[in-house]
Coordinates of all heavy atoms in Angstrom, one line a residue:
M1 N 48.2 96.7 155.9 CA 49.5 97.2 156.3 C 50.6 96.4 155.6 O 50.7 95.2 155.7 CB 49.7 97.0 157.9 CG 51.0 97.5 158.4 SD 51.1 97.6 160.2 CE 50.9 95.9 160.6
K2 N 51.5 97.1 154.9 CA 52.5 96.4 154.2 C 53.9 96.7 154.8 O 54.3 97.9 154.9 CB 52.5 97.0 152.7 CG 53.4 96.3 151.8 CD 53.1 96.9 150.4 CE 54.1 96.3 149.4 NZ 53.8 96.9 148.0
I3 N 54.5 95.7 155.3 CA 55.8 95.8 155.9 C 56.9 96.0 154.8 O 57.0 95.2 153.9 CB 56.2 94.6 156.8 CG1 55.2 94.3 157.9 CG2 57.6 94.7 157.4 CD1 55.2 95.3 159.0
I4 N 57.6 97.1 154.9 CA 58.7 97.4 153.9 C 60.0 96.9 154.5 O 60.8 96.3 153.8 CB 58.7 98.9 153.6 CG1 57.4 99.3 153.0 CG2 59.9 99.2 152.7 CD1 57.0 98.6 151.7
C5 N 60.3 97.2 155.7 CA 61.6 96.9 156.4 C 61.3 95.9 157.5 O 60.8 96.2 158.5 CB 62.2 98.1 156.9 SG 63.8 97.8 157.8
R6 N 61.5 94.6 157.2 CA 61.2 93.5 158.1 C 62.1 93.6 159.3 O 61.7 93.2 160.4 CB 61.4 92.2 157.4 CG 60.3 91.9 156.4 CD 60.4 90.5 155.8 NE 59.5 90.5 154.7 CZ 59.9 89.9 153.5 NH1 61.0 89.3 153.4 NH2 59.0 89.9 152.5
C7 N 63.4 94.0 159.2 CA 64.3 94.1 160.3 C 63.8 95.1 161.4 O 63.9 94.8 162.6 CB 65.7 94.5 159.9 SG 66.5 93.3 158.8
E8 N 63.3 96.2 160.9 CA 63.0 97.3 161.9 C 61.4 97.5 161.9 O 61.0 98.5 162.6 CB 63.7 98.6 161.5 CG 65.2 98.5 161.5 CD 65.7 98.2 163.0 OE1 65.2 98.8 163.9 OE2 66.5 97.3 163.1
D9 N 60.7 96.6 161.3 CA 59.2 96.7 161.4 C 58.6 98.0 160.9 O 57.8 98.6 161.5 CB 58.8 96.4 162.8 CG 57.4 95.8 162.9 OD1 57.0 95.2 161.9 OD2 56.8 95.9 164.0
I10 N 59.1 98.5 159.7 CA 58.7 99.8 159.2 C 57.7 99.5 158.1 O 58.0 98.7 157.2 CB 59.9 100.5 158.6 CG1 61.1 100.6 159.5 CG2 59.4 101.9 158.1 CD1 60.8 101.4 160.8
T11 N 56.5 100.1 158.1 CA 55.5 99.9 157.1 C 55.6 100.9 156.0 O 56.2 102.0 156.1 CB 54.1 100.0 157.8 OG1 53.9 101.3 158.2 CG2 54.0 99.0 158.9
E12 N 54.8 100.6 154.9 CA 54.7 101.5 153.8 C 54.1 102.8 154.3 O 54.5 103.9 153.9 CB 53.9 101.0 152.7 CG 53.8 101.9 151.5 CD 53.2 101.3 150.2 OE1 52.7 100.1 150.3 OE2 53.3 101.9 149.2
N13 N 53.1 102.7 155.2 CA 52.5 104.0 155.7 C 53.5 104.8 156.5 O 53.4 106.0 156.4 CB 51.3 103.6 156.6 CG 50.1 103.1 155.9 OD1 50.0 103.3 154.7 ND2 49.2 102.5 156.6
D14 N 54.4 104.2 157.2 CA 55.4 104.9 157.9 C 56.3 105.8 157.0 O 56.6 106.9 157.2 CB 56.4 104.0 158.7 CG 55.7 103.3 159.9 OD1 54.7 103.8 160.4 OD2 56.1 102.1 160.2
I15 N 56.6 105.1 155.9 CA 57.5 105.8 154.8 C 56.7 106.9 154.2 O 57.2 108.0 154.1 CB 58.0 104.8 153.8 CG1 58.8 103.6 154.4 CG2 58.7 105.5 152.7 CD1 60.1 104.0 155.0
V16 N 55.5 106.6 153.8 CA 54.7 107.7 153.1 C 54.4 108.9 154.0 O 54.5 110.0 153.6 CB 53.4 107.0 152.6 CG1 52.4 108.1 152.1 CG2 53.6 106.0 151.4
R17 N 54.1 108.6 155.3 CA 53.9 109.7 156.2 C 55.1 110.5 156.4 O 55.0 111.8 156.4 CB 53.5 109.1 157.6 CG 53.0 110.1 158.6 CD 52.6 109.6 160.0 NE 51.9 108.4 159.9 CZ 52.3 107.2 160.3 NH1 53.5 107.1 160.9 NH2 51.6 106.1 160.2
A18 N 56.3 109.9 156.5 CA 57.5 110.7 156.6 C 57.8 111.5 155.4 O 58.2 112.7 155.5 CB 58.7 109.7 156.9
I19 N 57.5 111.0 154.2 CA 57.7 111.8 153.0 C 56.8 113.0 153.0 O 57.2 114.1 152.7 CB 57.5 110.9 151.7 CG1 58.5 109.8 151.6 CG2 57.4 111.7 150.5 CD1 58.2 108.7 150.6
R20 N 55.6 112.8 153.4 CA 54.6 113.9 153.4 C 54.9 114.9 154.4 O 54.4 116.0 154.4 CB 53.2 113.3 153.5 CG 52.8 112.6 152.2 CD 51.4 111.9 152.2 NE 51.2 111.2 151.0 CZ 50.2 110.4 150.8 NH1 49.3 110.2 151.7 NH2 50.1 109.8 149.6
E21 N 55.7 114.5 155.5 CA 56.1 115.5 156.5 C 57.3 116.2 156.0 O 57.8 117.1 156.7 CB 56.4 114.7 157.8 CG 55.1 114.2 158.5 CD 55.4 113.4 159.7 OE1 56.6 113.1 160.0 OE2 54.5 113.0 160.4
G22 N 57.9 115.9 154.8 CA 59.0 116.7 154.3 C 60.3 115.9 154.2 O 61.3 116.5 153.8
Y23 N 60.3 114.7 154.7 CA 61.6 113.9 154.6 C 61.6 113.3 153.3 O 61.3 112.1 153.1 CB 61.6 112.9 155.8 CG 61.6 113.5 157.1 CD1 60.4 113.6 157.8 CD2 62.7 114.1 157.7 CE1 60.3 114.2 159.1 CE2 62.7 114.7 158.9 CZ 61.5 114.8 159.6 OH 61.4 115.4 160.8
N24 N 62.0 114.0 152.3 CA 61.9 113.5 150.9 C 63.2 113.2 150.2 O 63.4 113.4 149.0 CB 61.1 114.5 150.1 CG 61.7 115.9 150.1 OD1 62.8 116.1 150.6 ND2 61.0 116.9 149.5
D25 N 64.1 112.7 151.0 CA 65.3 112.1 150.4 C 65.7 110.8 151.2 O 65.2 110.7 152.4 CB 66.5 113.1 150.4 CG 66.9 113.4 151.8 OD1 67.8 112.7 152.4 OD2 66.4 114.5 152.3
M26 N 66.4 109.9 150.6 CA 66.7 108.6 151.2 C 67.4 108.7 152.6 O 67.0 108.0 153.5 CB 67.5 107.7 150.3 CG 66.7 107.3 149.0 SD 65.4 106.2 149.4 CE 66.2 104.7 149.8
E27 N 68.3 109.6 152.7 CA 69.1 109.7 153.9 C 68.2 110.2 155.1 O 68.3 109.6 156.2 CB 70.3 110.6 153.7 CG 71.4 110.5 154.8 CD 72.0 109.1 154.8 OE1 72.2 108.4 153.8 OE2 72.3 108.6 155.9
S28 N 67.4 111.2 154.8 CA 66.6 111.7 155.9 C 65.5 110.8 156.3 O 65.1 110.6 157.4 CB 66.1 113.1 155.7 OG 65.3 113.2 154.5
L29 N 65.0 110.1 155.2 CA 64.0 109.0 155.5 C 64.5 107.9 156.4 O 63.9 107.4 157.3 CB 63.5 108.4 154.2 CG 62.3 109.0 153.5 CD1 62.0 108.2 152.2 CD2 61.1 109.0 154.4
K30 N 65.7 107.5 156.1 CA 66.4 106.5 156.9 C 66.5 107.0 158.4 O 66.2 106.2 159.3 CB 67.8 106.2 156.3 CG 68.6 105.2 157.1 CD 69.9 105.0 156.5 CE 71.0 104.6 157.5 NZ 72.3 104.5 156.9
R31 N 66.9 108.2 158.5 CA 67.2 108.7 159.9 C 65.9 108.8 160.7 O 65.8 108.6 161.9 CB 67.9 110.1 159.8 CG 69.3 110.0 159.4 CD 69.9 111.3 159.2 NE 71.2 111.2 158.5 CZ 72.3 111.1 159.1 NH1 72.4 111.0 160.4 NH2 73.4 110.9 158.3
V32 N 64.8 109.2 160.0 CA 63.5 109.5 160.7 C 62.7 108.2 160.9 O 62.0 108.0 162.0 CB 62.7 110.6 160.1 CG1 62.0 110.1 158.8 CG2 61.7 111.2 161.1
T33 N 62.8 107.2 160.0 CA 62.1 106.0 160.2 C 62.9 104.8 160.7 O 62.3 103.9 161.3 CB 61.4 105.6 158.8 OG1 62.5 105.2 157.9 CG2 60.6 106.7 158.2
G34 N 64.2 104.8 160.4 CA 65.0 103.7 160.8 C 65.1 102.6 159.8 O 65.8 101.6 160.1
F35 N 64.5 102.7 158.7 CA 64.6 101.7 157.7 C 66.1 101.5 157.3 O 66.8 102.5 157.4 CB 63.7 101.9 156.4 CG 64.4 102.8 155.4 CD1 65.3 102.2 154.5 CD2 64.3 104.1 155.4 CE1 65.9 102.9 153.5 CE2 64.9 104.9 154.4 CZ 65.8 104.3 153.5
G36 N 66.5 100.4 157.0 CA 67.9 100.2 156.5 C 68.9 100.1 157.6 O 70.1 99.9 157.4
T37 N 68.4 100.1 158.9 CA 69.4 100.1 160.0 C 69.4 98.7 160.7 O 70.0 98.6 161.8 CB 69.1 101.2 161.0 OG1 67.8 101.0 161.5 CG2 69.2 102.6 160.3
G38 N 68.7 97.8 160.2 CA 68.6 96.5 160.8 C 69.8 95.6 160.5 O 70.7 96.0 159.8
P39 N 69.7 94.3 160.9 CA 70.8 93.4 160.7 C 71.2 93.2 159.2 O 72.4 93.0 158.9 CB 70.3 92.1 161.2 CG 69.2 92.5 162.2 CD 68.6 93.7 161.7
C40 N 70.2 93.4 158.3 CA 70.6 93.2 156.8 C 71.1 94.4 156.2 O 71.5 94.5 155.1 CB 69.4 92.6 156.0 SG 68.2 93.9 155.5
Q41 N 71.1 95.5 157.0 CA 71.7 96.8 156.6 C 71.0 97.3 155.3 O 71.7 97.9 154.4 CB 73.2 96.8 156.4 CG 73.9 96.7 157.8 CD 73.7 98.0 158.6 OE1 74.3 99.1 158.2 NE2 72.9 98.0 159.6
G42 N 69.7 97.0 155.1 CA 69.0 97.6 154.0 C 68.9 96.7 152.8 O 68.2 97.1 151.8
K43 N 69.5 95.5 152.8 CA 69.4 94.7 151.6 C 68.0 94.3 151.3 O 67.7 94.0 150.2 CB 70.3 93.4 151.8 CG 71.8 93.7 151.8 CD 72.6 92.5 152.0 CE 74.1 92.8 152.1 NZ 74.4 93.6 153.2
G44 N 67.2 94.2 152.3 CA 65.8 93.8 152.1 C 64.8 94.9 151.9 O 63.6 94.7 151.7
C45 N 65.2 96.2 152.1 CA 64.2 97.3 152.0 C 64.6 98.5 151.2 O 63.7 99.3 150.9 CB 63.9 97.7 153.5 SG 65.3 98.3 154.4
V46 N 65.9 98.7 151.0 CA 66.3 100.0 150.4 C 65.6 100.2 149.0 O 65.1 101.3 148.7 CB 67.8 100.1 150.3 CG1 68.2 101.2 149.3 CG2 68.4 100.3 151.6
L47 N 65.6 99.2 148.2 CA 65.0 99.3 146.9 C 63.5 99.6 147.0 O 63.0 100.5 146.3 CB 65.2 98.0 146.0 CG 64.8 98.1 144.6 CD1 65.5 99.3 143.9 CD2 65.1 96.8 143.9
A48 N 62.8 98.9 147.9 CA 61.4 99.2 148.1 C 61.1 100.6 148.5 O 60.2 101.3 148.0 CB 60.8 98.2 149.1
V49 N 61.9 101.1 149.4 CA 61.8 102.5 149.9 C 62.1 103.5 148.7 O 61.3 104.5 148.6 CB 62.7 102.8 151.1 CG1 62.6 104.3 151.5 CG2 62.3 102.0 152.3
M50 N 63.1 103.2 147.9 CA 63.4 104.0 146.8 C 62.2 104.1 145.8 O 61.8 105.2 145.3 CB 64.6 103.5 146.0 CG 65.9 104.0 146.5 SD 67.2 103.5 145.4 CE 68.0 105.2 145.2
K51 N 61.5 103.0 145.6 CA 60.4 103.0 144.7 C 59.2 103.8 145.3 O 58.5 104.5 144.6 CB 59.9 101.5 144.5 CG 60.9 100.8 143.5 CD 60.4 99.4 143.3 CE 61.4 98.6 142.4 NZ 61.0 97.2 142.2
I52 N 59.0 103.7 146.6 CA 57.9 104.5 147.2 C 58.3 106.0 147.2 O 57.4 106.8 146.8 CB 57.8 104.1 148.7 CG1 57.3 102.6 148.8 CG2 56.8 105.0 149.4 CD1 57.4 102.0 150.2
L53 N 59.5 106.3 147.5 CA 59.9 107.7 147.4 C 59.8 108.3 146.0 O 59.3 109.4 145.8 CB 61.4 107.9 147.9 CG 61.9 109.3 147.9 CD1 61.1 110.3 148.7 CD2 63.4 109.3 148.4
A54 N 60.2 107.5 145.0 CA 60.1 107.9 143.6 C 58.6 108.1 143.2 O 58.2 109.1 142.6 CB 60.7 106.9 142.7
R55 N 57.8 107.2 143.6 CA 56.3 107.3 143.4 C 55.7 108.6 144.0 O 55.0 109.3 143.4 CB 55.6 106.1 143.9 CG 54.1 106.0 143.6 CD 53.4 104.9 144.3 NE 53.4 105.2 145.8 CZ 53.4 104.3 146.7 NH1 53.5 103.0 146.5 NH2 53.3 104.7 148.0
E56 N 56.1 108.8 145.3 CA 55.5 109.9 146.0 C 56.0 111.3 145.6 O 55.3 112.3 145.9 CB 55.7 109.7 147.5 CG 55.0 108.5 148.1 CD 53.5 108.7 148.1 OE1 53.0 109.8 148.5 OE2 52.8 107.7 147.8
T57 N 57.2 111.3 145.0 CA 57.8 112.6 144.6 C 57.8 112.8 143.1 O 58.4 113.7 142.6 CB 59.2 112.7 145.2 OG1 60.0 111.6 144.7 CG2 59.2 112.8 146.7
N58 N 57.1 111.8 142.4 CA 57.1 111.9 140.9 C 58.5 112.0 140.3 O 58.7 112.8 139.4 CB 56.2 113.1 140.4 CG 54.8 112.9 140.8 OD1 54.3 111.8 140.6 ND2 54.2 113.9 141.3
K59 N 59.4 111.2 140.8 CA 60.7 111.1 140.3 C 61.0 109.7 139.8 O 60.3 108.7 140.2 CB 61.8 111.5 141.4 CG 61.7 112.9 141.8 CD 62.8 113.2 142.8 CE 62.8 114.7 143.2 NZ 63.7 115.0 144.3
N60 N 62.1 109.6 139.1 CA 62.6 108.3 138.7 C 63.6 107.8 139.8 O 64.3 108.6 140.3 CB 63.3 108.4 137.3 CG 63.7 107.1 136.7 OD1 64.3 106.3 137.4 ND2 63.3 106.9 135.5
T61 N 63.6 106.5 140.0 CA 64.6 106.0 141.1 C 66.0 106.4 140.8 O 66.8 106.6 141.7 CB 64.5 104.5 141.3 OG1 64.6 103.9 140.0 CG2 63.1 104.1 141.9
A62 N 66.4 106.5 139.5 CA 67.7 106.9 139.1 C 68.1 108.3 139.5 O 69.3 108.7 139.7 CB 67.9 106.8 137.6
E63 N 67.1 109.1 139.8 CA 67.3 110.5 140.2 C 67.6 110.6 141.7 O 68.0 111.6 142.2 CB 66.1 111.4 139.9 CG 65.7 111.5 138.5 CD 64.4 112.3 138.3 OE1 64.4 113.5 138.6 OE2 63.4 111.7 137.9
L64 N 67.3 109.5 142.5 CA 67.4 109.6 143.9 C 68.8 109.2 144.4 O 69.4 108.2 143.8 CB 66.4 108.7 144.5 CG 64.9 108.9 144.2 CD1 64.0 107.9 144.7 CD2 64.5 110.3 144.7
R65 N 69.3 109.9 145.4 CA 70.6 109.5 145.9 C 70.4 108.3 146.9 O 69.5 108.4 147.8 CB 71.2 110.7 146.7 CG 72.0 111.6 145.8 CD 72.7 112.7 146.7 NE 73.9 112.1 147.2 CZ 74.7 112.9 147.9 NH1 74.5 114.1 148.2 NH2 75.9 112.4 148.4
P66 N 71.2 107.3 146.8 CA 71.1 106.2 147.7 C 71.6 106.5 149.1 O 72.2 107.6 149.3 CB 72.0 105.1 147.1 CG 73.0 105.8 146.3 CD 72.3 107.1 145.8
I67 N 71.2 105.7 150.1 CA 71.7 106.0 151.5 C 73.2 105.7 151.5 O 73.8 105.0 150.7 CB 71.0 105.1 152.5 CG1 71.1 103.6 152.2 CG2 69.5 105.5 152.6 CD1 70.5 102.7 153.3
T68 N 73.8 106.3 152.5 CA 75.3 106.1 152.7 C 75.5 104.8 153.4 O 75.0 104.5 154.4 CB 75.8 107.2 153.6 OG1 75.5 108.5 153.0 CG2 77.3 107.1 153.7
A69 N 76.4 104.0 152.7 CA 76.8 102.7 153.3 C 77.7 102.9 154.5 O 78.6 103.8 154.4 CB 77.4 101.8 152.2
R70 N 77.5 102.2 155.5 CA 78.4 102.3 156.7 C 79.2 101.0 156.8 O 78.7 99.9 156.6 CB 77.5 102.5 158.0 CG 76.5 103.6 157.9 CD 77.2 104.9 158.3 NE 76.2 106.0 158.3 CZ 76.3 107.1 157.6 NH1 77.2 107.3 156.8 NH2 75.3 108.0 157.7
T71 N 80.4 101.2 157.2 CA 81.3 100.0 157.5 C 80.9 99.4 158.8 O 80.3 100.0 159.6 CB 82.7 100.4 157.5 OG1 82.9 101.4 158.5 CG2 83.2 101.0 156.2
P72 N 81.2 98.1 159.0 CA 80.9 97.5 160.3 C 81.6 98.2 161.4 O 82.7 98.8 161.3 CB 81.5 96.1 160.1 CG 81.7 95.8 158.7 CD 81.9 97.2 158.0
L73 N 80.9 98.2 162.6 CA 81.4 98.9 163.8 C 82.7 98.3 164.2 O 83.7 99.0 164.6 CB 80.4 98.8 164.9 CG 80.5 99.7 166.1 CD1 80.6 101.2 165.6 CD2 79.4 99.5 167.1
D74 N 82.8 97.0 164.2 CA 84.0 96.3 164.5 C 84.6 95.6 163.3 O 83.9 95.1 162.4 CB 83.7 95.2 165.5 CG 83.3 95.7 166.9 OD1 83.9 96.7 167.3 OD2 82.3 95.2 167.4
P75 N 85.9 95.6 163.2 CA 86.6 95.0 162.0 C 86.2 93.5 161.9 O 86.0 92.8 162.9 CB 88.1 95.1 162.2 CG 88.2 96.1 163.3 CD 86.9 96.2 164.1
V76 N 86.0 93.0 160.7 CA 85.7 91.6 160.4 C 86.8 91.0 159.6 O 87.2 91.5 158.6 CB 84.3 91.5 159.7 CG1 84.0 90.0 159.4 CG2 83.2 92.2 160.5
Y77 N 87.4 89.9 160.1 CA 88.4 89.2 159.4 C 87.8 88.5 158.2 O 86.7 87.9 158.2 CB 89.1 88.1 160.3 CG 89.9 88.8 161.4 CD1 89.4 88.8 162.7 CD2 91.1 89.3 161.1 CE1 90.1 89.4 163.7 CE2 91.9 89.9 162.1 CZ 91.4 90.0 163.4 OH 92.1 90.6 164.4
M78 N 88.5 88.6 157.0 CA 88.0 88.0 155.8 C 87.8 86.5 155.9 O 86.9 85.9 155.2 CB 88.9 88.3 154.6 CG 89.0 89.8 154.3 SD 87.4 90.5 153.9 CE 87.0 89.8 152.4
G79 N 88.5 85.8 156.8 CA 88.3 84.4 157.0 C 86.9 84.0 157.4 O 86.5 82.9 157.2
V80 N 86.2 85.0 158.0 CA 84.8 84.7 158.5 C 84.0 84.3 157.3 O 83.0 83.6 157.4 CB 84.3 86.0 159.2 CG1 82.8 85.9 159.4 CG2 85.0 86.2 160.5
F81 N 84.3 84.9 156.1 CA 83.5 84.7 154.9 C 83.9 83.4 154.1 O 83.2 83.1 153.1 CB 83.5 85.9 154.0 CG 83.1 87.1 154.7 CD1 84.0 88.1 155.1 CD2 81.7 87.3 155.0 CE1 83.5 89.3 155.8 CE2 81.3 88.4 155.7 CZ 82.2 89.4 156.1
V82 N 85.0 82.8 154.5 CA 85.5 81.6 153.8 C 84.6 80.4 154.1 O 84.4 80.1 155.3 CB 87.0 81.4 154.1 CG1 87.4 80.1 153.4 CG2 87.8 82.6 153.6
V83 N 84.2 79.6 153.1 CA 83.4 78.4 153.4 C 84.4 77.2 153.3 O 85.1 77.1 152.4 CB 82.3 78.3 152.3 CG1 81.6 77.0 152.5 CG2 81.4 79.5 152.3
D84 N 84.4 76.4 154.4 CA 85.2 75.2 154.4 C 84.4 74.1 153.7 O 83.4 73.6 154.3 CB 85.5 74.9 155.9 CG 86.4 73.7 156.0 OD1 86.8 73.1 154.9 OD2 86.8 73.3 157.1
R85 N 84.8 73.8 152.5 CA 84.0 72.8 151.7 C 84.4 71.3 152.1 O 83.8 70.4 151.6 CB 84.2 73.0 150.3 CG 83.8 74.4 149.8 CD 83.6 74.5 148.3 NE 83.3 75.8 147.9 CZ 82.1 76.4 147.9 NH1 81.0 75.6 148.3 NH2 81.8 77.6 147.5
K86 N 85.3 71.1 153.0 CA 85.7 69.8 153.4 C 84.6 69.1 154.3 O 84.5 67.9 154.4 CB 87.0 69.8 154.1 CG 88.1 70.2 153.2 CD 89.4 70.2 154.0 CE 90.6 70.8 153.1 NZ 91.7 71.1 153.9
H87 N 83.8 69.9 155.0 CA 82.8 69.4 155.9 C 81.5 69.4 155.4 O 81.0 70.1 154.6 CB 82.9 70.2 157.2 CG 84.2 70.1 157.9 ND1 85.1 71.1 157.9 CD2 84.7 69.1 158.6 CE1 86.2 70.7 158.6 NE2 86.0 69.5 159.0
Ligands
LIG101 S1 64.9 94.8 155.9 FE1 65.3 96.9 156.4 S2 67.2 96.7 157.4 FE2 66.7 94.7 156.9

């Protein structure tokens, strides 16, 4: 069992099964499996899922549409990302 999305505990088998059920684009795969919806918002799994989808549909990853990026639910002040180097 190969974990593809560590945040949401989605395996390669989950992805392949969904593709074979007809969910053969990134957005519908995301909706049906939940990959990319964890705390990292897909940074750890989107590329791996794209490669699986490309392999299973005999396409190049460049032919696939990426998932839609969502903005944070609550606004985040830019100061949150500033590193205080004095400490
Ligand atoms: S690894 Fe998939 S959302 Fe984080």
Side-chain angles (χ1 to χ4, degrees):
M1 178 171 64
K2 187 173 177 183
I3 301 288
I4 298 299
C5 177
R6 292 184 190 136
C7 294
E8 297 299 313
D9 208 22
I10 310 296
T11 67
E12 181 171 8
N13 285 346
D14 295 329
I15 301 295
V16 170
R17 186 178 324 114
I19 293 168
R20 291 179 183 169
E21 288 174 358
Y23 300 99
N24 56 9
D25 64 87
M26 290 295 285
E27 197 64 36
S28 60
L29 267 179
K30 176 181 152 187
R31 290 172 194 269
V32 77
T33 67
F35 87 84
T37 60
C40 82
Q41 288 292 288
K43 288 178 183 67
C45 61
V46 167
L47 185 58
V49 173
M50 275 189 127
K51 288 179 179 176
I52 295 167
L53 180 58
R55 181 191 73 210
E56 293 294 316
T57 58
N58 294 316
K59 291 181 179 173
N60 189 308
T61 53
E63 298 175 69
L64 303 174
R65 275 184 82 175
I67 59 174
T68 306
R70 306 277 187 237
T71 55
L73 195 56
D74 294 316
V76 178
Y77 292 102
M78 293 306 288
V80 169
F81 301 109
V82 175
V83 176
D84 185 0
R85 299 196 185 277
K86 294 177 185 168
H87 296 103

